Amino acid sequence: SGSASEVYRVVDGPRDEQFIRDVFPHNQLLGIIPYSEEIRRNDRNGMSVLDGLSKEMMARFEDILKAIQ
């Protein structure tokens, strides 16, 4: 049988993130991308959302990539 995995974006703060972590078992949660003006600005300007991200935000994307590889 297959397994489902989850990635969440537009998480607005630590309470939202903790709620998601409590609801989904760790093995189903690939990662959480918090709401970010950086991502929103890049998207609106037609840039890759990964361009110019902070090290902390880039680490979240890298963790998700590692989880799916």
Side-chain angles (χ1 to χ4, degrees), residues 3-9 11 17 20-21 23-34 57-69:
S3 65
S5 298
E6 305 287 334
V7 175
Y8 284 86
R9 191 177 84 75
V11 174
E17 185 169 338
I20 291 168
R21 290 187 185 284
V23 169
F24 292 97
H26 180 54
N27 62 341
Q28 290 183 342
L29 185 62
L30 294 176
I32 294 174
I33 305 299
M57 188 66 76
M58 186 59 83
R60 288 181 178 251
F61 281 96
E62 289 168 351
D63 288 346
I64 292 168
L65 181 59
K66 287 176 193 172
I68 60 176
Q69 289 182 334

Side-chain angles (χ1 to χ4, degrees), residues 7-67:
V7 175
Y8 284 86
R9 191 177 84 75
V10 192
V11 174
D12 189 21
R15 289 182 64 188
D16 283 357
E17 185 169 338
Q18 189 58 52
F19 172 78
I20 291 168
R21 290 187 185 284
D22 290 344
V23 169
F24 292 97
H26 180 54
N27 62 341
Q28 290 183 342
L29 185 62
L30 294 176
I32 294 174
I33 305 299
Y35 176 80
S36 168
E37 280 296 322
E38 293 174 280
I39 292 174
R40 185 172 170 259
R41 182 177 50 251
N42 285 353
D43 185 47
R44 285 189 172 190
N45 290 331
M47 299 168 52
S48 166
V49 297
L50 301 177
D51 287 344
L53 289 182
S54 66
K55 288 181 182 182
E56 177 185 322
M57 188 66 76
M58 186 59 83
R60 288 181 178 251
F61 281 96
E62 289 168 351
D63 288 346
I64 292 168
L65 181 59
K66 287 176 193 172

